[in-house]
Amino acid sequence: MSYSTAGVLRPVTLDDVRGAQKMLSGVARVTALESSRHLSQLVGTPVLLKCENLQRTGSFKLRGAYVRIAGLLPEERAAGVVAASAGNHAQGVALASSLLGVHATVFMPKAAPLPKISATREYGAEVRLHGQVVDETLAAAQEYAERTGAVFIHPFDHPDVIAGQGTVGLEILEQCPEVGTIVVGIGGGGLAAGIAVAVKALRPEVRIIGVQAAGSAAYPPSLAAGRPVSIEGPATMADGIKVGRPGDVPFRIIAESVDEIRTVTEDQLSAALLLCLERAKLVVEPAGASPVAALLGCEPGAVAGPVVAVLSGGNVDPVLLQRVLRHGMTAQGRYLAVRLRLTDRPGALATMLGVLSVVDANVLDVSHVRTDPRLGLTEAEVELHLETKGPTHCAEVGQALREAGYTVID
């Protein structure tokens, strides 16, 4: 199954996806489909999580990369492959190339997280750091391909890649034959397109919902225009779906076969990532949590079940994870930042902390300001970061401070 030398990218078919599934046997894991009681209660129908975050290399990207590289002609393999990526695609290409005995050069941004750079090297690729943003990295990889003859492996805009990603859809149908809705994150569109090819061919009544980050949603305007269009400055912490323009090949499939595109906010992504960690015990990157974020915004009974949410990846940078978790907990009212004024005298801070102790608020951080011109001669301003038990507890903390005579600054 090779499209690399034909000159024309023909449509992706169910037979292509089935061929990819055979090719991936023993290479890619058949990832688990885990039920989520908590999400099922929120959505009002059974919800299951397709755990591609537990795939080899930590994401679904291995599937498409392996099928694409395996389909190269011998002379193309001899020339090697090149890719550009800040994370998941880089690791997928690196491992696939290593398994197939093909030399891989992967260009990554200079600011790419160190764990992702290290993992890509450990999987066997030659890593070259270039550019500050992915667009600069992509241009460098394409120039390298033209100069050396290496085959450029696109992360989503090629039928072989889409066929490989479509094997996720076949697995879902095998694991949950009665599925009513599949929810999947969309960046360039390779995964959603592949799933749509497989699922709609076998179960056309299954509803497929694509999810994009609101700050990086190129598909709604593209679908409205009837062609892929670029958006300026895509911005989201979900780097796995941070793509400014849909791929030509996946766009055609998604326009025909994906039933709905939804967008989610950064707050919703944070809450979804936190839910996956706390309730499902799964480490998921923001892009992988996007289907869960979409489900959190659903009214009970609004989605036909059973619902399968595809957790597309789990390669989250620890620094980002820490920041996202704190943001998610703040959004849920479990962190509280409060500023207040008190008399600047010995023992004043201890007295105020005693009030917080009574209402069982855990103090994470305290900072003082004594030199602000807005303060009186004997006043100090204190900023507190507290760990709380939810919105009701936050209100109780504020009320206790006011009743103790402190001026709480909103």
Side-chain angles (χ1 to χ4, degrees):
M1 180 177 54
S2 175
Y3 306 82
S4 58
T5 59
V8 177
L9 300 180
R10 67 176 176 82
V12 187
T13 67
L14 175 61
D15 285 342
D16 295 326
V17 181
R18 283 175 166 161
Q21 188 176 46
K22 292 179 181 178
M23 189 179 295
L24 288 167
S25 177
V27 175
R29 294 174 181 145
V30 177
T31 52
L33 194 66
E34 299 286 348
S35 62
S36 171
R37 182 178 300 177
H38 181 66
L39 274 174
S40 298
Q41 291 173 342
L42 292 177
V43 179
T45 192
V47 176
L48 302 101
L49 306 175
K50 178 60 171 169
C51 299
E52 283 296 290
N53 58 311
L54 303 180
Q55 184 57 261
R56 296 179 69 180
T57 74
S59 88
F60 71 96
K61 289 288 189 177
L62 171 65
R63 298 174 183 263
Y66 187 91
V67 174
R68 173 76 173 101
I69 298 169
L72 296 178
L73 298 174
E75 56 269 28
E76 291 174 318
R77 291 197 191 193
V81 299
V82 60
S85 168
N88 291 346
H89 181 57
Q91 294 173 66
V93 168
L95 178 56
S97 299
S98 178
L99 293 172
L100 291 164
V102 177
H103 178 75
T105 302
V106 177
F107 285 77
M108 303 182 75
K110 293 179 180 178
L114 288 177
K116 294 184 178 181
I117 295 173
S118 298
T120 303
R121 285 181 172 141
E122 289 171 6
Y123 285 128
E126 176 187 347
V127 174
R128 299 193 181 190
L129 302 180
H130 184 93
Q132 299 300 324
V133 296
V134 174
D135 286 344
E136 295 174 356
T137 308
L138 179 62
Q142 291 173 327
E143 186 278 330
Y144 177 88
E146 293 172 2
R147 177 167 49 85
T148 66
V151 178
F152 180 70
I153 307 299
H154 200 283
F156 51 80
D157 203 14
H158 193 282
D160 282 353
V161 173
I162 293 171
Q165 321 304 30
T167 59
V168 175
L170 291 182
E171 289 179 15
I172 290 172
L173 293 182
E174 292 163 0
Q175 294 168 312
C176 183
E178 69 278 16
V179 61
T181 303
I182 297 173
V183 189
V184 55
I186 296 183
L191 177 60
I195 289 174
V197 167
V199 172
K200 291 295 187 177
L202 296 169
R203 291 277 311 283
E205 73 278 11
V206 174
R207 186 170 178 81
I208 299 177
I209 299 174
V211 185
Q212 293 209 284
S216 185
Y219 265 88
S222 296
L223 292 169
R227 58 181 175 80
V229 298
S230 299
I231 60 171
E232 293 295 328
T236 175
M237 64 179 167
D239 57 355
I241 54 174
K242 184 180 177 182
V243 178
R245 182 187 184 279
D248 293 328
V249 182
F251 175 80
R252 292 195 296 269
I253 298 169
I254 287 171
E256 294 176 359
S257 302
V258 171
D259 298 283
E260 181 184 353
I261 303 292
R262 298 185 182 182
T263 59
V264 293
T265 66
E266 301 298 284
D267 282 350
Q268 289 172 319
L269 288 169
S270 296
L273 190 151
L274 183 60
L275 184 148
C276 288
L277 186 63
E278 285 193 323
R279 305 306 295 262
K281 314 306 177 189
L282 293 168
V283 176
V284 182
E285 62 190 89
S290 59
V292 175
L295 291 175
L296 290 177
C298 289
E299 292 293 330
V303 183
V307 178
V308 173
V310 182
L311 307 183
S312 57
N315 292 319
V316 58
D317 179 47
V319 176
L320 174 63
L321 179 62
Q322 182 182 39
R323 190 163 68 244
V324 169
L325 290 179
R326 176 158 292 195
H327 184 79
M329 293 181 75
T330 301
Q332 291 187 0
R334 292 163 59 184
Y335 279 143
L336 175 65
V338 60
R339 289 186 302 136
L340 51 85
R341 289 179 184 172
L342 70 166
T343 302
D344 190 10
R345 58 176 176 77
L349 179 60
T351 301
M352 182 266 295
L353 293 176
V355 174
L356 295 174
S357 177
V358 170
V359 291
D360 202 24
N362 185 35
V363 179
L364 300 174
D365 188 46
V366 180
S367 62
H368 283 81
V369 175
R370 291 186 172 89
T371 57
D372 194 304
R374 296 172 298 176
L375 296 174
L377 183 63
T378 60
E379 286 184 321
E381 186 174 293
V382 176
E383 182 173 349
L384 301 164
H385 292 264
L386 309 173
E387 184 179 15
T388 57
K389 300 174 184 177
T392 301
H393 191 206
C394 288
E396 292 174 358
V397 171
Q399 182 65 24
L401 289 169
R402 291 184 179 92
E403 290 179 353
Y406 295 103
T407 302
V408 179
I409 304 169
D410 296 327

